[in-house]
Amino acid sequence: MALAFLKCKYFDPSSLAECMLALILGRKPPAWVIVLVDQTTIDGVQVVNAAIPLEGRAVPVAWIDFEYPWKNAGSASANQVSR
């Protein structure tokens, strides 16, 4: 059922993110907001997302996915690369 929803031509994730921001921040947004950033790999595709903490959860508000142009052949771990 979720897959059918995501394949709907009227579903636009970027619009959803704008709506989520409006709901989270309200009519009078604070001067600053904590944004959580995370990167993970799903089936070889890198995914970076940004989320805003709300009531013990992280509400995603932005994301991007990409593939490296090279294959993973003995590259350093993400923790080593980040340092």
Side-chain angles (χ1 to χ4, degrees):
M1 180 158 174
L3 189 57
F5 172 75
L6 293 174
K7 286 186 174 184
C8 175
K9 67 180 180 178
Y10 300 108
F11 176 68
D12 176 23
S14 61
S15 297
L16 179 62
E18 290 175 30
C19 294
M20 294 305 286
L21 275 171
L23 283 172
I24 295 166
L25 301 177
R27 293 177 189 235
K28 209 172 179 192
W32 59 273
V33 176
I34 295 172
V35 178
L36 309 170
V37 178
D38 186 38
Q39 179 177 353
T40 190
T41 304
I42 302 171
D43 292 333
V45 176
Q46 300 294 315
V47 180
V48 177
N49 70 57
I52 296 177
L54 178 70
E55 298 180 5
R57 303 243 179 206
V59 181
V61 293
W63 52 89
I64 186 168
D65 59 86
F66 58 94
E67 292 185 64
Y68 285 120
W70 61 86
K71 296 293 179 193
N72 197 7
S75 63
S77 74
N79 292 338
Q80 295 298 322
V81 173
S82 298
R83 292 182 185 179

